[in-house]
Amino acid sequence: MVVSSATIDSLLKEGEQYVPPKEFTARALVKDDSLYRDADKDFEKFWAGQAEGLHWIRKWDKVLDWQEPFAKWFPGGKLNVSENCLDRHLTDGRRNKAAIVWEGEPGDKKVFTYHQLWREVNKFANVLKALGVKRGDRVTIYMPMIPELPIAMLACSRIGAIHSVIFGGFSSKAVHDRVLDAESSVVVTADYGYRRGGLVALKKAVDEGIADLSIVKHVVVYKRASGDCAMKEGRDAWWDDLMAKADDWYPPEPMDATDPLFILYTSGTTGKPKGIVHSTGGYLVGVASTHKLIFDIHEDDFYWCTADIGWVTGHSYIVYGPLANGATSFMYEGSPDFPKQDRWWKLVEEYGITIMYTAPTAIRACMRWGDEWPQGHDLSSLRLLGTVGEPINPEAWRWYYRTIGGSRCPVVDTWWQTETGMILITPLPGISTLKPGSAVLPFPGVSAEVVDETGAVAGVNKGGYLVITKPWPAMLMTIFKDPERYKATYWSQIKGKYFTGDGCRMDGDGFFWLMGRIDDVINLSGHRVGTMEVESALVSHSQVAEAAVVGKPDPLKGQVLVAYVVLKSGNHRSPELVGELKKHVRAEIGPIAVPETIYITDKLPKTRSGKIMRRVIRALVSGQEIGDTTTLEDPGAVEEVRKWLAAVEGKAP
Ligand code: ATP
Ligand code: MG
């Protein structure tokens, strides 16, 4: 990517602040800022201290071997991830503690204690071994959100195989491309998954995806539903049949800290899917320490991350972080509005969830559905809330804080990426003052800056590019089979610094305000404006639930803004409302940010991870060709967006 823009102007300023409640701080794991100071003094020593919390088969020789841009964390060290997540909890008092508590969309329930999960993982490790999987081989996993998904992942880690999990909502094409790139000889799947009351035919998508791939020798199928499921003789086998014969002990393979643990292909909303490779030792140190300190994990917490394990959030903060910490991790299979829009709040109430981690897109959806859904449930067990995935609009933050958190739970807005493996910019809930819309500060031991295109640090409140200035333990090792692309994508823009691709500004207190992707920053009469800031201003209007804003070329002005707005339930489109929204943006940000056109629509086109497809909307309204549709999981999505645009624009605002 060529970075050519001038400094980004940041127009949105939020003044509000929330200090942590005293009772929260009193019990918090981090009560003062000494961690930041210690880590500042010597970041390698800080990370070594965090690594001490894991079980090492052999201690590392060195904390960090940095041959820019390739980092080796804890070289010489040996450990096994499944042993850290399971075996050691069998003797530390957690043997009979719930590790994974699960509810399926139809309402079926399962609990795995640490001992039970350990047994299943050992058995599946033997299953994989019997199918010929060796250390370093790649295993593709394409499953619904059921406990067998983490069991398969942990079994891979036990034998030293590298897993590649594909989000269960992706198409057979995605399965094809990823199995091929990873060269997997074994695919683990399920017949079906439940979604919104319907069945998703996963095994069928595998059959289509691998039809022409002779590298795949075995497909293991977990039976989740009662529908038909074609099985190919000699290739396919049922999970239960294989597990019934498997021994329940497999000695954990001693892995090098620098061996890869998994590959995760990024969702590809910005480019051709990349196989992001994560390490064993550094990754586990990074996710265990961030999970523990950011979510303030206590022994009795009931922690729920609502992400799908198909995303990095699920890898790091449903599976590896929580289990390494001996926490109880809740998993829910289905969608938040099935059978009704209060399903999540029902789960929080029934299970007594104490910590909830979700995405702004989900928060805005709940906001749109109305307060009556959460208000019909007792949410008083919650003590901490988190968000990830996109910048959170201050309005959505406040709604989450008040309506879900009862104004008593800190909200940790955590910034990170598939590539970073772990949260990098975040509050620490016991000590951080919160400003809605800001991800606050780099985690201790992490160093970030906002710079301009020359690499010079941008001034206070000046927008720029977010870069990470020192290696961090869970950083990606490389892009699978493509180290040149790794260098070019992340290490060629700003010398010696990791280029995140996100716009950001730092305020006078050193707080980081993420502004969305750099591609979503546009030039308006000489000002650089993040479209996310205009969206935020729109969402702060009392009738607006969600907004997407893109730039469109204009013969006179160069660029103008076009906004697509979804209203909260019970509100209706009218020319007056459009006028009012324009006035509102003018008052919130200023005249240059007022969209030329505002369309009111029922929904916005989103990627499978719930992010608004701004790139596709922008390309279509600008009359550009969408260069590379293989970059989208579902090339049909472009057609969908085209239809959506025609329908929206056909209606008078
Ligand atoms: P791809 O890189 O494949 O196009 P993606 O970037 O959406 O997809 P992820 O790695 O899941 O895939 O998302 C990381 C991005 O999400 C960040 O670069 C940032 O743009 C956004 N993001 C995540 N968390 C936050 C946050 N707390 N605040 C602002 N933005 C965030
Ligand atoms: Mg990305």
Side-chain angles (χ1 to χ4, degrees), residues 474-647:
M475 70 188 271
L476 73 166
M477 300 175 73
T478 186
I479 293 177
F480 189 57
K481 300 199 286 201
D482 202 349
E484 289 310 314
R485 188 170 178 204
Y486 165 71
K487 287 188 207 162
T489 310
Y490 307 108
W491 297 94
S492 66
Q493 285 83 356
I494 307 289
K495 203 178 167 314
K497 293 171 184 174
Y498 170 84
F499 190 74
T500 64
D502 281 357
C504 189
R505 77 178 156 94
M506 196 197 265
D507 72 12
D509 298 327
F511 278 43
F512 287 72
W513 296 77
L514 276 303
M515 296 164 56
R517 296 169 196 292
I518 285 159
D519 318 5
D520 295 326
V521 173
I522 66 163
N523 195 331
L524 292 173
S525 324
H527 293 272
R528 306 286 304 170
V529 176
T531 53
M532 166 260 152
E533 307 197 71
V534 184
E535 290 168 7
S536 238
L538 284 164
V539 173
S540 71
H541 186 276
S542 61
Q543 296 183 34
V544 174
E546 257 198 309
V549 174
V550 298
K552 175 183 173 175
D554 180 272
L556 291 178
K557 301 180 181 163
Q559 288 253 40
V560 293
L561 293 175
V562 184
Y564 303 86
V565 165
V566 178
L567 300 179
K568 288 187 189 158
S569 303
N571 295 291
H572 302 285
R573 87 179 68 216
S574 70
E576 291 72 39
L577 178 60
V578 169
E580 204 183 304
L581 292 177
K582 289 190 179 179
K583 256 195 243 150
H584 183 73
V585 174
R586 175 185 296 263
E588 289 285 306
I589 307 184
I592 65 149
V594 176
E596 183 89 348
T597 318
I598 297 182
Y599 294 105
I600 295 187
T601 168
D602 300 333
K603 61 168 197 225
L604 297 172
K606 297 196 177 152
T607 64
R608 302 308 293 259
S609 61
K611 296 182 192 191
I612 299 167
M613 285 200 236
R614 293 185 190 80
R615 187 173 71 94
V616 180
I617 307 175
R618 185 175 62 232
L620 290 175
V621 302
S622 307
Q624 293 161 0
E625 268 321 297
I626 316 251
D628 187 7
T629 45
T630 59
T631 67
L632 290 168
E633 278 318 318
D634 175 11
V638 176
E639 257 334 288
E640 289 289 304
V641 179
R642 211 188 290 276
K643 274 193 219 143
W644 168 82
L645 264 177

Side-chain angles (χ1 to χ4, degrees), residues 135-306:
R135 179 176 170 144
D137 288 353
R138 276 81 54 201
V139 173
T140 294
I141 306 176
Y142 179 65
M143 293 183 102
M145 277 286 287
I146 54 176
E148 288 69 21
L149 167 52
I151 288 169
M153 295 162 74
L154 288 158
C156 287
S157 79
R158 194 158 192 93
I159 67 175
I162 299 167
H163 59 68
S164 161
V165 177
I166 305 176
F167 170 52
F170 281 162
S171 62
S172 56
K173 166 100 173 39
V175 174
H176 175 274
D177 294 354
R178 286 153 171 71
V179 168
L180 184 64
D181 190 67
E183 300 165 62
S184 293
S185 64
V186 173
V187 177
V188 185
T189 188
D191 54 350
Y192 295 95
Y194 286 92
R195 188 77 194 170
R196 255 196 198 101
L199 287 174
V200 184
L202 295 167
K203 170 62 165 52
K204 188 163 165 274
V206 169
D207 287 343
E208 288 166 14
I210 65 171
D212 64 344
L213 297 181
S214 57
I215 40 166
V216 179
K217 301 293 178 228
H218 302 282
V219 178
V220 180
V221 188
Y222 181 79
K223 190 157 181 53
R224 168 83 185 102
S226 54
D228 290 341
C229 179
M231 298 289 276
K232 188 170 166 186
E233 187 68 39
R235 186 194 69 182
D236 303 348
W238 292 106
W239 171 290
D240 282 346
D241 293 346
L242 299 174
M243 288 289 266
K245 291 178 277 184
D247 189 49
D248 66 1
W249 168 244
Y250 188 94
E253 183 76 19
M255 301 302 290
D256 288 332
T258 54
D259 278 330
L261 174 66
F262 66 84
I263 302 172
L264 183 59
Y265 291 86
T266 50
S267 61
T269 45
T270 53
K272 183 171 171 284
K274 305 176 276 244
I276 303 298
V277 182
H278 279 291
S279 73
T280 297
Y283 174 79
L284 199 64
V285 170
V287 299
S289 54
T290 48
H291 178 257
K292 184 168 179 178
L293 300 176
I294 296 166
F295 296 106
D296 188 47
I297 299 298
H298 287 68
E299 212 50 65
D300 56 355
D301 271 316
F302 203 148
Y303 162 90
W304 181 19
C305 167
T306 70

Side-chain angles (χ1 to χ4, degrees), residues 335-449:
S335 68
D337 53 352
F338 185 84
K340 291 206 223 99
Q341 282 109 315
D342 64 345
R343 181 63 179 273
W344 275 8
W345 316 123
K346 210 164 159 269
L347 293 171
V348 169
E349 177 170 9
E350 272 180 35
Y351 289 92
I353 302 292
T354 62
I355 302 167
M356 185 166 180
Y357 187 32
T358 190
T361 180
I363 297 169
R364 289 191 303 259
C366 294
M367 237 170 106
R368 188 171 72 241
W369 294 333
D371 292 6
E372 61 273 23
W373 299 106
Q375 277 166 359
H377 294 277
D378 177 1
L379 306 181
S380 60
S381 58
L382 289 170
R383 65 180 197 88
L384 178 61
L385 301 173
T387 77
V388 60
E390 283 187 291
I392 183 163
N393 325 87
E395 196 58 31
W397 192 103
R398 282 189 286 267
W399 184 86
Y400 193 34
Y401 180 80
R402 288 186 195 139
T403 311
I404 304 307
S407 301
R408 108 195 135 256
C409 310
V411 176
V412 287
D413 174 355
T414 64
W415 178 90
W416 60 298
Q417 307 176 305
T418 306
E419 294 88 340
T420 70
M422 65 187 236
I423 296 167
L424 293 189
I425 302 186
T426 178
L428 289 177
I431 59 170
S432 300
T433 295
L434 305 174
K435 303 184 191 181
S438 169
V440 182
L441 294 177
F443 187 78
V446 173
S447 303
E449 277 173 1

